[in-house]
Amino acid sequence: MSRYPQHRFAVAPMMDWTDRHCRFLHRQLSRQALLYTEMVVADGIIHGDRDRLLGFDQVEHPVALQLGGSEPDKLVEAVRIATDFGYDEINLNVGCPSDRVQSGAFGACLMREAELVARCVTTMKTVADVPVTVKCRIGVDEQDPEIVLPDFVRTVVDAGVDALWVHARKAWLEGLSPKENRDIPPLDYGIVYRLKRDYPNLFIGINGGVATLNQADEHLNHVDGVMLGRAAYHNTSLLAEVDRQVYGDDVAETDWGAVCASMMAHAEAHLAAGGRLIHVTRHMIGLFQGVRGARRFRQILSTDAVRPGAGPEVIAAAFEAINFADLTEAA
């Protein structure tokens, strides 16, 4: 059996979005969700500002570090460095189709290099004290997923990978932009379901096109975990239902006053360290979709947070615009 914990729900790693401030907010809404960093390139960890790239608040646990890279020696050094920060998982990016990763010959490009991915996994596991996982696509460009994906999975499983998160679309590295790659290639959930049947003792999670927790529940009839990306970011309040609906926890209704207070305290600490309020508030825009006052909430966070001298009181003013009775009635 895999030693990977049963993370039934995860928020996907998203470049420019899932930074430490985003993850701090998400943790206020769910104790259980597995949170991912943005992809951090191994070279950056080795040569860059490690505290900036790898630091996080302990409240974020469980939190996974996603690495970008394709050179085993650099990846193992990055894992060695990251070990001191205390992540709960190390994930190798084999799915991102951006120009940045293509120029570095990693991300989704590695779907063509199963043996190299296997060497990366094996090497990373020699120094990792937590699970080493892979997030991949079902194929790239002209590859036939029915042929490529089973071969890819067999190779990385033989290398000892602890879990697979599969974005159920191909990535078109030729002809589609990274944004188009999130929507245009058709979803094939069935191929991921069949993988799970073929590997009953390996944790397999699914990603791609999942917009609601009800959809997540349906996928959990076939796989071990579900990963939401844009839906969790743009409709952040749905995370408040994850512990109850996905994990079956008997939890109290979300105390939005406490969430507001936590975010204000977090923002104050960030400001004291030389940061800007917008670094925190930009991740809060997706809260309260469809609730009376949400438009005003977004307006306050978007405009007032960028003004000179803006402080945590902007967050308090934004929360005051929300009609929380709507949330109570919905619950």
Side-chain angles (χ1 to χ4, degrees), residues 41 58 113 200 234 253 317:
V41 177
Q58 292 302 304
E113 304 284 349
H234 292 308
E253 295 298 327

Side-chain angles (χ1 to χ4, degrees), residues 41 43 68-71 98-107 109-110:
V41 177
D43 267 329
S70 59
E71 298 174 70
S98 75
D99 295 337
R100 177 186 178 194
V101 301
Q102 289 188 57
S103 65
F106 56 94
C109 300
L110 291 175

Side-chain angles (χ1 to χ4, degrees), residues 55-268:
F56 64 93
D57 192 303
Q58 292 302 304
V59 76
E60 294 175 36
H61 288 294
V63 59
L65 169 66
Q66 186 180 69
L67 289 178
S70 59
E71 298 174 70
D73 58 336
K74 291 183 177 180
L75 285 166
V76 77
E77 180 61 19
V79 173
R80 185 178 289 112
I81 293 166
T83 295
D84 291 338
F85 286 81
Y87 283 94
D88 299 289
E89 171 187 333
I90 306 293
N91 178 266
L92 180 63
N93 184 323
V94 189
C96 180
S98 75
D99 295 337
R100 177 186 178 194
V101 301
Q102 289 188 57
S103 65
F106 56 94
C109 300
L110 291 175
M111 290 301 300
R112 301 192 185 107
E113 304 284 349
E115 293 293 344
L116 175 56
V117 174
R119 290 200 299 277
C120 291
V121 168
T122 300
T123 306
M124 291 161 69
K125 285 178 66 70
T126 62
V127 295
D129 58 1
V130 294
V132 172
T133 69
V134 164
K135 185 172 187 289
C136 66
R137 293 276 182 142
I138 63 174
V140 295
D141 294 334
E142 300 297 339
Q143 289 181 331
D144 180 350
E146 296 291 349
I147 297 172
V148 170
L149 187 61
D151 287 345
F152 176 87
V153 172
R154 185 180 311 111
T155 303
V156 297
V157 167
D158 288 346
V161 75
D162 291 299
L164 283 172
W165 289 94
V166 185
H167 187 150
R169 304 180 197 267
K170 289 174 69 172
W172 285 93
L173 304 179
E174 301 289 338
L176 291 182
S177 70
K179 181 178 185 297
E180 290 170 330
N181 262 299
R182 294 194 291 267
D183 294 302
I184 292 178
L187 287 157
D188 185 354
Y189 295 133
I191 196 170
V192 186
Y193 296 168
R194 292 192 293 278
L195 270 184
K196 180 59 196 176
R197 292 200 295 269
D198 292 340
Y199 293 91
N201 294 328
L202 176 70
F203 182 102
I204 294 179
I206 201 165
N207 173 226
V210 186
T212 69
L213 295 187
N214 287 339
Q215 292 174 8
D217 285 339
E218 174 56 32
H219 286 301
L220 288 167
N221 292 322
H222 306 278
V223 292
D224 301 302
V226 178
M227 180 179 279
L228 269 68
R230 286 167 293 161
Y233 191 86
H234 292 308
N235 185 20
T236 316
S237 299
L238 70 77
L239 295 176
E241 297 301 317
V242 165
D243 294 354
R244 180 183 299 104
Q245 182 167 337
V246 177
Y247 288 90
D249 291 354
D250 183 13
V251 294
E253 295 298 327
T254 301
D255 183 341
W256 291 106
V259 172
C260 178
S262 291
M263 295 312 299
M264 290 177 68
H266 179 75
E268 187 170 14

